[in-house]
Amino acid sequence: MESKVADLLKAFKSEMQALSCRSESDQIMWPFIQSTEVAIENHSPGAVLSWFRRQDSEKKVFWADRERNLEIAGVNFAHKIQGDSLDELNAAINLISRVTGTPGTPGYLGGICFNTEEPFDDLWIDYHRFTFVLPMFELRTCNSGFLWLRVNTFIRDRSELESAVGNVEREFSKLNFEPSDTPLAFSFSLASRTDEPIKEKWVTLIEAATHEIKSGGDLKKIVLARKTQFDLVQSGGRVSPIDLLVYFAESDTSGFTYYIQLSEKDAFFGKSPERLYKRTGDGIFCEALAGTTRIGRSAEEELLLKNELFLSDKDSMEHSFVVNFVQDVLSRLCTDFKSSQLRDIKRHFNVQHLLQQFSGTLRPELTDYDIITSFSPTPAVGGVPTVMALNRIDDAEAFRRGWYAGAFGMLSQEETEFCVSLRCALYKDHALHVFTGVGIVADSDPVCEWEEMENKMSHFIQYSLCN
Ligand SMILES: C=C(O[C@@H]1C=C(C(=O)O)C=C[C@H]1O)C(=O)O
């Protein structure tokens, strides 16, 4: 491995030298991403996360798609784009599309908040409404079975060529390629748990929501959420949000795994069952995921619960609002699209959901900005009608959702994939802020919905109590 790592640095330097010669005759469109990679070894399960855990850098990002075709661990950022307005988001997506246009160029990783109109609180301030990063160093898996190590630089113009090499060399020397790994050791205990809202207030909020829906006005569905704060006390060693990520990844392989750390103090991460969309060229894949029950304690109970979910009018209604919305968006974005014939079940940690999948061909003039802003937030996390539901959420919730129920993923000209940022937490100052929501329709029962939230965040509870 060591020789492969040294090969990479050598190859990177010689490619930068060649770039410098090309830049003389100015055949380059600035800004430019120089990306160099080597295959380093056969890929064993957990190798990428295990390497990720061992890196000391305070800037990190991780993304694994649901099928585990792709796993990327990024350390240090070659380029970071943040912003707060929709215009800035549009400009960022255009820039990313332009600089990732050469085949083989890596994508940017990052996320977007739930509601760009919503004011932010201090908890989310560093994240802005969106942040996308191009990792400086990436370790990733790919279908060939190898692990690839890659160096990326973002060069604004030729005057930056020299400093870019020095910068990479300096940061490269800080990477840790030691094979040894320390086992997960949970060196903290749980000091307290605080729910916002508490159960009594939740019951009142849900009763008010169902009352409004039943009254026959415009509101048909609203997704209300809770923020649970777990205060953790360090008992020797450090509390590492990456350890949590590894723990989740090991306890359930289903779902998108995502993580971003912008500074030493905090990280946003989660493991989501839900795809917002995947685009490959002009092909789009998306889904409607909503309606929830727990998993069974035995195979028989599992089957029973699954059948109950299929037959539940309340869950079918929650799900059908999302199906209708997705079909409506696709009819605007696509020249043609189709849906899977049957509803399916998506199992994730302690819960299972109703799922229907869609695929289509996008109209040629559309960008990822058009797609994201058309889909997000779907009625799986917002409600129906969207704007009314967002206003009601703003009135009802006494905390800011920030990036919870937004989108997280990978973005490039050739391929983009976002999950809905669910089953997630923001780790800040030794506290885990866990966000969980449920879809409310006319027949929703406040106590059952509270239990659904407990089930949805059960992996966080298990983790926090395992000490
Ligand atoms: C809002 C969340 O999940 C969403 C709501 C669901 C529901 O109400 O049944 C199911 C899956 C997700 O679309 C969440 O996990 O926080």
Side-chain angles (χ1 to χ4, degrees):
M1 171 129 160
E2 251 170 55
S3 70
K4 292 290 171 75
V5 171
D7 287 351
L8 175 65
L9 199 55
K10 236 187 277 162
F12 167 72
K13 281 165 108 178
S14 82
E15 283 179 16
M16 287 296 276
Q17 184 65 42
L19 188 64
S20 155
C21 297
R22 266 179 67 203
S23 82
E24 296 291 313
S25 51
D26 229 354
Q27 300 159 335
I28 298 164
M29 277 268 288
W30 304 104
F32 183 84
I33 293 176
Q34 172 61 45
S35 183
T36 310
E37 64 182 347
V38 284
I40 55 171
E41 62 183 36
N42 282 326
H43 153 223
S44 57
V48 175
L49 266 177
S50 153
W51 177 81
F52 191 54
R53 251 186 102 209
R54 274 175 281 149
Q55 307 310 317
D56 273 339
S57 169
E58 60 189 33
K59 293 176 194 147
K60 290 179 178 173
V61 64
F62 182 87
W63 166 250
D65 67 9
R66 199 165 53 188
E67 292 73 29
R68 274 288 194 281
N69 287 331
L70 181 69
E71 241 183 308
I72 304 180
V75 173
N76 239 304
F77 305 148
H79 187 212
K80 178 169 84 174
I81 316 178
Q82 298 189 296
D84 291 298
S85 69
L86 285 176
D87 283 348
E88 285 171 317
L89 178 64
N90 194 11
I93 289 174
N94 281 335
L95 175 66
I96 292 173
S97 174
R98 187 153 54 82
V99 292
T100 59
T102 317
T105 310
Y108 280 62
L109 301 171
I112 307 172
C113 70
F114 167 70
N115 179 358
T116 41
E117 308 283 313
E118 185 193 63
F120 259 18
D121 56 14
D122 281 354
L123 207 56
W124 292 102
I125 206 100
D126 299 337
Y127 288 79
H128 292 265
R129 298 313 192 282
F130 69 87
T131 299
F132 289 107
V133 296
L134 174 71
M136 184 180 278
F137 306 108
E138 282 178 20
L139 188 69
R140 67 182 170 93
T141 57
C142 79
N143 298 335
S144 67
F146 279 101
L147 281 181
W148 290 81
L149 183 66
R150 176 145 70 179
V151 179
N152 302 314
T153 45
F154 179 89
I155 311 158
R156 278 169 193 82
D157 59 50
R158 80 164 74 87
S159 70
E160 287 190 2
L161 279 165
E162 219 177 289
S163 59
V165 176
N167 204 11
V168 163
E169 271 188 305
R170 199 175 47 253
E171 296 303 328
F172 201 92
S173 65
K174 298 180 194 161
L175 294 177
N176 181 356
F177 290 101
E178 289 298 314
S180 69
D181 200 3
T182 41
L184 288 179
F186 301 120
S187 51
F188 63 85
S189 51
L190 180 66
S192 61
R193 169 182 167 162
T194 323
D195 291 308
E196 173 49 58
I198 57 169
K199 197 168 178 181
E200 290 70 29
K201 186 173 161 200
W202 171 260
V203 171
T204 313
L205 285 174
I206 302 309
E207 282 172 353
T210 51
H211 183 262
E212 180 174 355
I213 295 169
K214 281 184 194 153
S215 71
D218 288 340
L219 190 69
K220 305 284 182 251
K221 175 179 177 180
I222 180 167
V223 181
L224 287 172
R226 180 180 75 185
K227 181 168 85 91
T228 302
Q229 179 170 338
F230 293 104
D231 287 308
L232 307 174
V233 178
Q234 211 159 310
S235 51
R238 62 197 173 125
V239 178
S240 160
I242 294 193
D243 285 358
L244 258 145
L245 187 79
V246 175
Y247 172 78
F248 294 161
E250 284 175 357
S251 28
D252 190 331
T253 51
S254 71
F256 298 91
T257 314
Y258 55 98
Y259 181 100
I260 186 159
Q261 181 178 330
L262 302 174
S263 74
E264 203 185 11
K265 304 186 302 298
D266 56 64
F268 174 70
F269 63 99
K271 199 153 168 57
S272 169
E274 183 167 354
R275 169 181 284 148
L276 184 65
Y277 76 91
K278 176 176 175 152
R279 178 189 61 77
T280 310
D282 63 358
I284 184 162
F285 304 88
C286 55
E287 62 197 30
L289 187 105
T292 308
T293 189
R294 63 178 173 82
I295 57 166
R297 291 184 200 98
S298 63
E300 294 82 55
E301 196 194 13
E302 177 88 13
L303 192 62
L304 196 78
L305 288 166
K306 187 172 159 173
N307 288 335
E308 273 176 15
L309 183 59
F310 274 130
L311 294 173
S312 151
D313 288 341
K314 180 220 148 219
D315 288 289
S316 295
M317 180 174 279
E318 272 184 66
H319 185 242
S320 67
F321 281 125
V322 190
V323 170
N324 294 343
F325 173 89
V326 170
Q327 284 177 328
D328 182 48
V329 172
L330 287 177
S331 66
R332 283 185 277 120
L333 298 184
C334 292
T335 52
D336 62 87
F337 73 92
K338 58 180 193 304
S339 73
S340 54
Q341 288 299 310
L342 295 173
R343 287 185 310 176
D344 204 349
I345 294 281
K346 170 73 45 204
R347 208 173 182 278
H348 188 68
F349 285 104
N350 267 7
V351 289
Q352 38 189 336
H353 303 295
L354 290 172
L355 169 75
Q356 190 149 8
Q357 294 184 303
F358 302 84
S359 59
T361 308
L362 289 161
R363 295 203 331 256
E365 69 276 16
L366 297 176
T367 67
D368 282 307
Y369 174 79
D370 302 313
I371 307 172
I372 292 168
T373 49
S374 303
F375 274 118
S376 184
T378 74
V381 292
V384 179
T386 303
V387 175
M388 184 179 231
L390 294 187
N391 288 334
R392 293 288 187 282
I393 289 170
D394 210 26
D395 293 342
E397 292 177 356
F399 59 91
R400 296 295 168 200
R401 288 192 176 190
W403 281 26
Y404 158 65
F408 195 102
M410 194 190 73
L411 188 68
S412 77
Q413 189 179 98
E414 188 49 34
E415 191 167 289
T416 290
E417 182 160 31
F418 283 105
C419 70
V420 183
S421 319
L422 298 175
R423 319 297 146 86
C424 56
L426 181 71
Y427 174 76
K428 198 164 183 165
D429 302 327
H430 299 301
L432 264 184
H433 303 267
V434 181
F435 296 83
T436 330
V438 284
I440 305 299
V441 290
D443 291 338
S444 297
D445 172 72
V447 176
C448 296
E449 300 299 338
W450 182 271
E451 270 154 28
E452 183 176 317
M453 290 193 293
E454 290 294 291
N455 285 332
K456 280 179 174 167
M457 57 175 264
S458 61
H459 47 303
F460 284 102
I461 300 175
Q462 276 153 17
Y463 179 82
S464 301
L465 296 181
C466 69
N467 294 279

